[in-house]
Amino acid sequence: MRSRSFTAGLVVRKTRDVVSYGEGRIHFETRYQFPEETLVSKSELLFLPCSDIERHLEASGLRAEAVYGDWDRQPFDLRTSEEMIFVVRRAS
């Protein structure tokens, strides 16, 4: 849980809970707890394999010039990389 205090003394607490996951999707809820109410944001993320993303890029007239596994431009490794960062250009 994270808390954030604002200048007027208002404290907002934020929590995130995974509701379900499977088949490349994760569903989660983020709750923002204010003194008078709680707001809930429901989200779904889809994780596509690198090959699917490259196929979608090509279908859009683009190509992946490079794919990195982190923001330091380390090579993408399916087994160990936590990110897929694409450098994309128009296909020639």
Side-chain angles (χ1 to χ4, degrees), residues 1-7 9-16 30-35:
M1 176 181 352
R2 288 183 152 176
S3 294
R4 171 110 191 244
S5 296
F6 295 90
T7 54
L10 175 67
V11 175
V12 177
R13 288 185 172 76
K14 180 176 92 170
T15 59
R16 184 170 293 131
T30 305
R31 287 183 164 60
Y32 300 93
Q33 297 172 322
F34 296 88

Side-chain angles (χ1 to χ4, degrees), residues 6-71:
F6 295 90
T7 54
L10 175 67
V11 175
V12 177
R13 288 185 172 76
K14 180 176 92 170
T15 59
R16 184 170 293 131
D17 297 306
V18 173
V19 176
S20 65
Y21 59 90
E23 297 181 17
R25 295 178 188 267
I26 184 169
H27 297 87
F28 60 93
E29 295 179 349
T30 305
R31 287 183 164 60
Y32 300 93
Q33 297 172 322
F34 296 88
E36 301 296 324
E37 66 178 325
T38 298
L39 302 177
V40 179
S41 172
K42 296 181 180 187
S43 301
E44 175 183 357
L45 294 177
L46 171 64
F47 296 94
L48 293 174
C50 187
S51 59
D52 284 3
I53 294 171
E54 289 176 325
R55 192 168 21 90
H56 288 297
L57 289 169
E58 290 172 11
S60 300
L62 303 169
R63 65 177 174 78
E65 184 174 277
V67 181
Y68 298 113
D70 64 28
W71 293 103

Side-chain angles (χ1 to χ4, degrees), residues 67-70 72-78 80-81 83:
V67 181
Y68 298 113
D70 64 28
D72 293 325
R73 297 184 177 187
Q74 295 301 309
F76 174 73
D77 183 313
L78 179 63
T80 60
S81 296
E83 306 283 347

